[in-house]
Amino acid sequence: YAQKVCSRCHNILRSDAPSPNTRATPFKKVANTPGMTVTALAVWSRTTHPTMPNLVIEPTDMDNLIAYILSLRDRK
């Protein structure tokens, strides 16, 4: 899902490269946001963003997308 839908605007990789759309936060940065949890990501992804299209993401895709984003966290 990230590759198919999100990569048009977001950097979906573990790299520190900017997103194709400079107003779209790279997923790695989202993953490393303090306090970012599964619940926080679920709320964040369902909240309207001024620069993001209003997407309806199927529950299974949402679960997979959240797991993928969290997998990009820096290892300490």
Side-chain angles (χ1 to χ4, degrees):
Y1 190 91
Q3 179 76 37
K4 184 177 173 187
V5 177
C6 306
S7 65
R8 295 177 197 152
C9 297
H10 294 272
N11 170 3
I12 62 163
L13 304 175
R14 190 176 296 277
S15 76
D16 291 321
S19 293
N21 177 336
T22 56
R23 297 186 308 176
T25 307
F27 279 5
K28 180 180 175 185
K29 185 173 182 178
V30 172
N32 285 306
T33 300
M36 192 57 69
T37 63
V38 171
T39 301
L41 264 173
V43 171
W44 175 79
S45 64
R46 288 181 176 93
T47 303
T48 305
H49 297 78
T51 58
M52 188 171 148
N54 191 13
L55 300 174
V56 176
I57 304 173
E58 295 297 322
T60 301
D61 289 331
M62 179 62 73
D63 292 345
N64 290 334
L65 183 59
I66 289 170
Y68 175 70
I69 291 171
L70 291 177
S71 79
L72 299 175
R73 262 193 193 143
D74 288 334
R75 307 289 181 221
K76 294 181 182 188

